[in-house]
PDB file of all heavy atoms in Angstrom:
ATOM      1  N   GLU A 332       9.668  -2.221  17.403  1.00 97.00           N
ATOM      2  CA  GLU A 332      10.786  -1.984  18.319  1.00 97.00           C
ATOM      3  C   GLU A 332      12.150  -2.169  17.660  1.00 97.00           C
ATOM      4  O   GLU A 332      13.172  -1.992  18.318  1.00 97.00           O
ATOM      5  CB  GLU A 332      10.662  -2.930  19.523  1.00 97.00           C
ATOM      6  CG  GLU A 332       9.418  -2.670  20.376  1.00 97.00           C
ATOM      7  CD  GLU A 332       9.247  -3.693  21.490  1.00 97.00           C
ATOM      8  OE1 GLU A 332      10.002  -4.703  21.492  1.00 97.00           O
ATOM      9  OE2 GLU A 332       8.366  -3.490  22.348  1.00 97.00           O
ATOM     10  N   ASP A 333      12.164  -2.500  16.389  1.00 96.00           N
ATOM     11  CA  ASP A 333      13.426  -2.791  15.704  1.00 96.00           C
ATOM     12  C   ASP A 333      14.411  -1.625  15.803  1.00 96.00           C
ATOM     13  O   ASP A 333      14.069  -0.472  15.496  1.00 96.00           O
ATOM     14  CB  ASP A 333      13.140  -3.112  14.231  1.00 96.00           C
ATOM     15  CG  ASP A 333      14.411  -3.449  13.472  1.00 96.00           C
ATOM     16  OD1 ASP A 333      15.015  -4.490  13.744  1.00 96.00           O
ATOM     17  OD2 ASP A 333      14.809  -2.631  12.617  1.00 96.00           O
ATOM     18  N   ARG A 334      15.628  -1.922  16.210  1.00 95.00           N
ATOM     19  CA  ARG A 334      16.628  -0.865  16.412  1.00 95.00           C
ATOM     20  C   ARG A 334      16.968  -0.136  15.123  1.00 95.00           C
ATOM     21  O   ARG A 334      17.161   1.081  15.102  1.00 95.00           O
ATOM     22  CB  ARG A 334      17.908  -1.470  17.009  1.00 95.00           C
ATOM     23  CG  ARG A 334      17.772  -1.909  18.462  1.00 95.00           C
ATOM     24  CD  ARG A 334      19.096  -2.409  18.988  1.00 95.00           C
ATOM     25  NE  ARG A 334      19.578  -3.558  18.227  1.00 95.00           N
ATOM     26  CZ  ARG A 334      20.813  -4.053  18.324  1.00 95.00           C
ATOM     27  NH1 ARG A 334      21.704  -3.466  19.103  1.00 95.00           N
ATOM     28  NH2 ARG A 334      21.174  -5.109  17.618  1.00 95.00           N
ATOM     29  N   GLN A 335      17.060  -0.891  14.030  1.00 96.00           N
ATOM     30  CA  GLN A 335      17.421  -0.279  12.746  1.00 96.00           C
ATOM     31  C   GLN A 335      16.346   0.701  12.278  1.00 96.00           C
ATOM     32  O   GLN A 335      16.637   1.834  11.888  1.00 96.00           O
ATOM     33  CB  GLN A 335      17.636  -1.375  11.687  1.00 96.00           C
ATOM     34  CG  GLN A 335      17.892  -0.880  10.282  1.00 96.00           C
ATOM     35  CD  GLN A 335      19.249  -0.209  10.114  1.00 96.00           C
ATOM     36  OE1 GLN A 335      20.100  -0.302  10.994  1.00 96.00           O
ATOM     37  NE2 GLN A 335      19.436   0.480   9.002  1.00 96.00           N
ATOM     38  N   LEU A 336      15.094   0.260  12.323  1.00 96.00           N
ATOM     39  CA  LEU A 336      14.001   1.133  11.882  1.00 96.00           C
ATOM     40  C   LEU A 336      13.900   2.378  12.759  1.00 96.00           C
ATOM     41  O   LEU A 336      13.677   3.493  12.267  1.00 96.00           O
ATOM     42  CB  LEU A 336      12.676   0.368  11.900  1.00 96.00           C
ATOM     43  CG  LEU A 336      12.521  -0.750  10.860  1.00 96.00           C
ATOM     44  CD1 LEU A 336      11.235  -1.527  11.100  1.00 96.00           C
ATOM     45  CD2 LEU A 336      12.550  -0.185   9.449  1.00 96.00           C
ATOM     46  N   ASN A 337      14.076   2.198  14.053  1.00 96.00           N
ATOM     47  CA  ASN A 337      13.983   3.351  14.954  1.00 96.00           C
ATOM     48  C   ASN A 337      15.165   4.291  14.794  1.00 96.00           C
ATOM     49  O   ASN A 337      15.010   5.518  14.885  1.00 96.00           O
ATOM     50  CB  ASN A 337      13.843   2.868  16.403  1.00 96.00           C
ATOM     51  CG  ASN A 337      12.424   2.451  16.734  1.00 96.00           C
ATOM     52  OD1 ASN A 337      11.560   3.295  16.957  1.00 96.00           O
ATOM     53  ND2 ASN A 337      12.163   1.158  16.732  1.00 96.00           N
ATOM     54  N   ALA A 338      16.330   3.736  14.527  1.00 97.00           N
ATOM     55  CA  ALA A 338      17.509   4.582  14.330  1.00 97.00           C
ATOM     56  C   ALA A 338      17.350   5.466  13.095  1.00 97.00           C
ATOM     57  O   ALA A 338      17.881   6.576  13.035  1.00 97.00           O
ATOM     58  CB  ALA A 338      18.757   3.714  14.197  1.00 97.00           C
ATOM     59  N   ARG A 339      16.595   4.991  12.110  1.00 95.00           N
ATOM     60  CA  ARG A 339      16.393   5.747  10.882  1.00 95.00           C
ATOM     61  C   ARG A 339      15.139   6.621  10.915  1.00 95.00           C
ATOM     62  O   ARG A 339      14.790   7.257   9.925  1.00 95.00           O
ATOM     63  CB  ARG A 339      16.322   4.787   9.688  1.00 95.00           C
ATOM     64  CG  ARG A 339      17.655   4.142   9.361  1.00 95.00           C
ATOM     65  CD  ARG A 339      17.561   3.256   8.125  1.00 95.00           C
ATOM     66  NE  ARG A 339      17.016   3.969   6.981  1.00 95.00           N
ATOM     67  CZ  ARG A 339      17.704   4.804   6.206  1.00 95.00           C
ATOM     68  NH1 ARG A 339      18.979   5.052   6.475  1.00 95.00           N
ATOM     69  NH2 ARG A 339      17.140   5.406   5.180  1.00 95.00           N
ATOM     70  N   GLY A 340      14.459   6.630  12.051  1.00 94.00           N
ATOM     71  CA  GLY A 340      13.271   7.482  12.175  1.00 94.00           C
ATOM     72  C   GLY A 340      12.088   6.985  11.374  1.00 94.00           C
ATOM     73  O   GLY A 340      11.271   7.789  10.898  1.00 94.00           O
ATOM     74  N   ASN A 341      11.974   5.659  11.230  1.00 95.00           N
ATOM     75  CA  ASN A 341      10.875   5.117  10.430  1.00 95.00           C
ATOM     76  C   ASN A 341       9.520   5.343  11.091  1.00 95.00           C
ATOM     77  O   ASN A 341       8.511   5.465  10.407  1.00 95.00           O
ATOM     78  CB  ASN A 341      11.071   3.622  10.197  1.00 95.00           C
ATOM     79  CG  ASN A 341       9.996   3.022   9.321  1.00 95.00           C
ATOM     80  OD1 ASN A 341      10.001   3.204   8.110  1.00 95.00           O
ATOM     81  ND2 ASN A 341       9.041   2.322   9.921  1.00 95.00           N
TER      82      ASN A 341
END
Side-chain angles (χ1 to χ4, degrees):
E332 296 175 351
D333 181 68
R334 289 184 299 168
Q335 175 70 12
L336 291 173
N337 280 283
R339 290 183 54 79
N341 183 76

